[in-house]
Amino acid sequence: MERPRHQGMTKNTYMRWRLPLVCLLWEVAMIVLFGVFVRFGPEADAHWEEEKREMNLTSDIENDFYFRYPSFQDVHVMIFVGFGFLMTFLKRYGFGAVGFNFLLAAFGIQWALLMQGWFHSFKSGKILVGVENLINADFCVGSVCIAFGAILGKTSPIQLLVMTLFQVTLFAVNEYILLNLLHVKDAGGSMTIHTFGAYFGLTVTRILYRPNLEQSKDKQGSVYHSDLFAMIGTLYLWMYWPSFNSAISEHGDAQHRAAINTYCSLAACVLTTMAFSSMLQKKGKLDMVHIQNATLAGGVAVGTSAEMMLTPYGSLIVGFICGIVSTVGYVYLTPFLESRLHIQDTCGIHNLHAMPGLIGGIVGAITAAAATEDVYGKEGFIKAFDFTGTYQTRTPSVQGGFQAAGIVVSLLMAFAGGALVGAILKLPVWGDAAAENCFEDDIYWEVPEDEESDVYHMHHPDKPASP
């Protein structure tokens, strides 16, 4: 028997024509744009044999695919499985968490290939794509998944697609400014992905503030199995984060170093998260929200400095600090942001991505400013910061200053872009649900009857049936 729809719905959430129209039109646009602009890069093109001869390569193993694809697989899993399942903690929004994450990521990677391609691999009127483009597109979509966490359960699928369109565009612009104009090093995206994505999402959710969201307060919590599903996302993210931070680093020592630094930071972060989660609870019990999220903050914060000579003990210190900052944020800052600043942050991205992202940018600036030839070696020093060509006279202190400037630019882009996109999403044409129907799957999804609840009610007639 079909579950009855909610009474008192004051907004039109009917998607039968609106969602198909948007999805089909935008996908046709992608097909046209790819047909006009996108071509295989040299290492994916059928002329690879000629390319090998020109580059004096003797084996196909030298193709970048064999170096990058394992990292691409890990990053891809993080975007679609890690982020998707991390957001399934809401007891009645599992379909929306995984399904809408799937939707926005699938559209986002196509638009990102175009936007990043126009900025970084546009040659002779064409965008040349290879496996590194796929990784960078996933990185771009990662920032959208982060922003999605702030508005989870409160927006329609069309709003999410519109947000993805604008955020990917702004991400590509911000990334170009930081990496190409400021010559900032940000291997794991503490600034370009996490700081930008988080503060963009927080600005959007502030603009979309719902004063009556208390009406759906009963649905904002979790149940035992939803927290367990979310923990699956946490473990995938935690295991693959070293690949995320090292995926596009230079082959050799830089990539090796990035993986080690991330590995160490994540490990330290788990212990301090566990410690403070217990310490901050009156009965000393662990809070699953902290374990699902704050344990990942070390990976975020070591992103910018991952391929620098941060050293393993330095990485442990970063992870140690971030576990504390993130857990304290969940306990004290999230309620403060909602009650005083009207920032309704569903997933707590301020604690997992925003603050650790800022810490990561600061750590990167300090580590760059403190770099010396004694530590890196002469050739390693030049290679680590790409002090060649236009930048061959740049000093570590100047590089540190530009790293700090990258934080400021990312914040400005996030606040300005988030305010603009939030204002667009606030228009009453996108089919978002009323406040009392937020965090509810059956607004946009066909949801099967909850047989377990029915059985429980049958055996416990004194308990009310599930709504």
Side-chain angles (χ1 to χ4, degrees), residues 58-388:
T58 58
S59 172
D60 284 332
I61 202 69
E62 298 295 327
N63 192 302
D64 203 37
F65 176 86
Y66 298 100
F67 290 105
R68 302 288 186 193
Y69 192 74
S71 294
F72 164 70
Q73 286 180 303
D74 293 350
V75 173
H76 217 45
V77 167
M78 289 178 70
I79 298 301
F80 288 91
V81 179
F83 279 111
F85 275 88
L86 181 64
M87 292 184 276
T88 59
F89 68 95
L90 292 171
K91 56 187 172 185
R92 294 171 66 169
Y93 205 71
F95 286 8
V98 175
F100 290 151
N101 183 79
F102 194 10
L103 172 65
L104 68 84
F107 168 63
I109 56 177
Q110 297 176 72
W111 184 228
L113 283 172
L114 288 165
M115 283 303 306
Q116 292 177 310
W118 282 320
F119 279 115
H120 301 292
S121 56
F122 192 64
K123 297 179 181 179
S124 303
K126 303 297 178 185
I127 297 169
L128 304 181
V129 298
V131 68
E132 191 168 335
N133 298 77
L134 306 186
I135 296 171
N136 281 316
D138 275 0
F139 281 172
C140 179
V141 166
S143 78
V144 183
C145 295
I146 291 166
F148 176 41
I151 58 175
L152 181 70
K154 300 174 292 186
T155 47
S156 72
I158 295 178
Q159 283 177 305
L160 294 175
L161 287 170
V162 172
M163 185 185 80
T164 302
L165 178 71
F166 283 98
Q167 189 176 351
V168 167
T169 304
L170 292 167
F171 177 96
V173 173
N174 184 58
E175 181 186 52
Y176 179 78
I177 293 172
L178 264 65
L179 303 187
N180 292 69
L181 301 184
L182 299 181
H183 195 63
V184 161
K185 306 300 287 183
D186 193 29
S190 292
M191 295 181 286
T192 54
I193 300 171
H194 300 285
T195 299
F196 170 76
Y199 284 105
F200 179 93
L202 291 169
T203 306
V204 169
T205 197
R206 174 61 185 87
I207 300 296
L208 298 180
Y209 173 68
R210 291 173 176 264
N212 299 319
L213 199 61
E214 284 289 324
Q215 295 176 15
S216 57
K217 191 73 174 178
D218 61 312
K219 290 174 283 190
Q220 293 184 46
S222 62
V223 291
Y224 191 84
H225 70 267
S226 67
D227 268 335
L228 202 55
F229 271 112
M231 196 63 196
I232 293 172
T234 298
L235 291 174
Y236 270 104
L237 291 168
W238 195 91
M239 289 188 300
Y240 290 145
W241 217 294
S243 294
F244 189 93
N245 283 354
S246 64
I248 57 170
S249 296
E250 290 287 335
H251 302 323
D253 64 291
Q255 195 165 43
H256 200 163
R257 194 160 53 242
I260 294 171
N261 282 332
T262 308
Y263 182 96
C264 293
S265 184
L266 284 166
C269 192
V270 173
L271 272 73
T272 49
T273 297
M274 292 279 189
F276 273 75
S277 180
S278 175
M279 188 187 305
L280 296 174
Q281 301 299 310
K282 290 182 179 179
K283 294 184 179 180
K285 294 183 179 181
L286 298 170
D287 188 328
M288 200 58 167
V289 172
H290 308 156
I291 311 309
Q292 289 162 359
N293 296 279
T295 53
L296 301 170
V300 174
V302 82
T304 296
S305 57
E307 60 184 14
M308 300 179 192
M309 289 290 285
L310 183 60
T311 73
Y313 81 87
S315 302
L316 291 175
I317 293 171
V318 172
F320 183 95
I321 293 170
C322 283
I324 298 170
V325 170
S326 185
T327 307
V328 170
Y330 275 100
V331 175
Y332 298 111
L333 279 181
T334 296
F336 173 81
L337 291 176
E338 183 166 355
S339 62
R340 299 302 178 90
L341 301 183
H342 294 167
I343 296 175
Q344 296 162 326
D345 181 7
T346 307
C347 290
I349 65 169
H350 182 257
N351 312 306
L352 172 53
H353 298 282
M355 291 191 296
L358 288 176
I359 291 171
I362 294 168
V363 170
I366 294 171
T367 308
T372 63
E373 287 189 8
D374 290 338
V375 174
Y376 287 81
K378 186 174 182 179
E379 292 182 10
F381 179 73
I382 295 171
K383 181 183 176 184
F385 297 99
D386 194 21
F387 286 161
T388 57

Side-chain angles (χ1 to χ4, degrees), residues 375-449:
V375 174
Y376 287 81
K378 186 174 182 179
E379 292 182 10
F381 179 73
I382 295 171
K383 181 183 176 184
F385 297 99
D386 194 21
F387 286 161
T388 57
T390 308
Y391 307 100
Q392 63 182 344
T393 58
R394 182 174 285 190
T395 63
S397 58
V398 171
Q399 180 65 31
F402 277 100
Q403 295 284 147
I407 303 172
V408 176
V409 172
S410 293
L411 287 172
L412 292 175
M413 288 289 291
F415 291 139
L420 171 64
V421 175
I424 293 171
L425 297 185
K426 201 166 186 178
L427 297 173
V429 297
W430 308 117
D432 55 312
E436 66 267 23
N437 296 322
C438 289
F439 314 110
E440 179 66 68
D441 265 337
D442 72 355
I443 300 299
Y444 301 111
W445 297 86
E446 287 290 344
V447 180
E449 289 291 339

